[in-house]
Amino acid sequence: PGPQPKMIGETPAQLVAHLTHPNGFWRDTAQRMLIVKNNKSVVPALVALLKHDNHLARLHALWTLEGLDAITPDILRTAMKDEHAQVRASGIRVAESLLKKGDTALIADIKALKADKDPIVVLQTLYTAKHLNWPKWKDEAQMTLMTSASVGVKEIGAQLLVEAPK
């Protein structure tokens, strides 16, 4: 609860400030409005927000940058080293947009995260490898499953290797 933001008439800079709001609906709405307005003047403020102490604000900043087509490999490398697992995993997912455009510089960074301490991040590396159909992704996935201490990684990751019926 609290006062309802009046975002319709707000500037893009004011909308960026809402990405730190405790209410998820207001964060989502501000993110959506920033992307729809496509005003790239907020990119520096979004990059600065990637250092915010709230991981949810960092997530919204990251996805807003992706929505504005303003993501860079350096931004993603920072996200993939974040202290919070959700931000690291999202960094991998956002990297898919650059990888699909042919920028392969992040592949090594993503593969390195197969050894991450958090199963969410490890699984995201496997999802991305399969989604983008990297060469030998199945072999690498099997190796990850054999060496992982996480039951979740082993169980869920094994499902990625199952072929769909034709």
Side-chain angles (χ1 to χ4, degrees), residues 114-115 122 140-150 153-154:
K114 287 190 287 186
V122 176
E140 292 178 14
Q142 287 175 334
M143 184 60 69
T144 302
L145 298 180
M146 287 190 298
T147 58
S148 177
S150 168
V153 168
K154 291 176 187 276

Side-chain angles (χ1 to χ4, degrees), residues 76-130:
L76 292 171
R77 283 187 182 98
T78 299
M80 287 189 261
K81 292 176 185 168
D82 195 273
E83 65 186 40
H84 200 280
Q86 286 180 325
V87 178
R88 293 193 305 275
S90 289
I92 297 167
R93 287 202 47 221
V94 172
E96 292 176 7
S97 62
L98 289 183
L99 293 165
K100 287 177 184 176
K101 292 177 183 177
D103 187 345
T104 59
L106 293 165
I107 292 175
D109 298 279
I110 293 169
K111 287 184 176 186
L113 288 170
K114 287 190 287 186
D116 195 273
K117 65 183 184 283
D118 194 287
I120 291 170
V121 177
V122 176
L123 286 169
Q124 187 58 56
T125 66
L126 301 178
Y127 300 149
T128 296
K130 180 178 181 175

Side-chain angles (χ1 to χ4, degrees), residues 28-90:
D28 290 344
T29 302
Q31 179 180 337
R32 185 172 45 256
M33 290 180 73
L34 285 163
I35 292 169
V36 168
K37 289 183 178 200
N38 199 32
N39 184 328
K40 302 219 193 288
S41 69
V42 297
V43 168
L46 291 169
V47 171
L49 201 54
L50 292 171
K51 294 180 174 99
H52 196 274
D53 60 343
N54 184 334
H55 77 282
L56 296 172
R58 296 193 305 272
L59 281 170
H60 282 281
L62 183 64
W63 283 106
T64 305
L65 286 163
E66 195 272 342
L68 293 173
D69 197 27
I71 207 73
T72 66
D74 288 338
I75 290 170
L76 292 171
R77 283 187 182 98
T78 299
M80 287 189 261
K81 292 176 185 168
D82 195 273
E83 65 186 40
H84 200 280
Q86 286 180 325
V87 178
R88 293 193 305 275
S90 289

Side-chain angles (χ1 to χ4, degrees), residues 2-8 10 18 21 26:
Q4 179 177 350
K6 305 286 187 226
M7 291 190 220
I8 292 290
E10 292 186 337
H18 290 299
H21 199 283
W26 301 127

